[in-house]
Amino acid sequence: MSNDVQMDDAGAEKRDDWVKITSSDGYSFLVKRSVAAISGTLKNMLSEDSSFREAIANTCPINERAAVVEKVCEYMSFKAYYEGPGSKEGVDVNEFTERIPPEVALELCVTLLLVPL
């Protein structure tokens, strides 16, 4: 009897459940595919029906610095949480806006225009 572990398709499915979003300065952020799909642009880039390089590599580059890409990822997570089912009493909606530093606000607005959510 062999001690080898058999991998099935479920393991591959779980691995593909996460996607990597990269910034222009080399930082990477792992987010769930369902969170990245909040953005129509990222959803199309990661579509299994497409032959985009991003879909094959499960990686989406965003041409902004890491501080901005981090806030985009946070916003997508926040939006996915609030659009999901269940009670949301524990987190105040203003919490997200309070975490945006003034020096990132303008870049974040421009990025959100380029990567519509």
Side-chain angles (χ1 to χ4, degrees):
M1 190 178 222
S2 173
N3 288 336
D4 293 341
V5 176
Q6 295 293 328
M7 294 294 290
D8 57 358
D9 290 336
E13 183 179 319
K14 291 211 183 283
R15 183 183 67 236
D16 292 339
D17 193 37
W18 293 84
V19 296
K20 185 180 351 179
I21 298 177
T22 59
S23 66
S24 60
D25 50 357
Y27 288 89
S28 298
F29 302 90
L30 289 175
V31 297
K32 288 194 172 229
R33 182 178 294 275
S34 59
V35 170
I38 294 291
S39 164
T41 303
L42 297 180
K43 181 179 180 178
N44 290 335
M45 291 167 72
L46 293 167
S47 172
E48 294 175 0
D49 298 333
S50 72
S51 59
F52 291 134
R53 174 180 65 194
E54 293 83 3
I56 295 168
N58 276 339
T59 302
C60 289
I62 296 180
N63 195 21
E64 292 293 337
R65 62 190 180 105
V68 175
V69 176
E70 177 184 21
K71 291 300 174 187
V72 170
C73 292
E74 279 185 45
Y75 177 75
M76 290 187 301
S77 297
F78 200 78
K79 186 174 180 181
Y81 175 77
Y82 274 98
E83 286 183 344
S87 175
K88 310 301 190 253
E89 295 174 10
V91 181
D92 186 20
V93 175
N94 292 330
E95 178 189 331
F96 178 76
T97 57
E98 292 169 358
R99 292 191 321 224
I100 300 174
E103 62 272 9
V104 175
L106 181 60
E107 288 178 274
L108 184 59
C109 287
V110 171
T111 301
L112 291 175
L113 289 174
L114 298 174
V115 183
L117 301 176

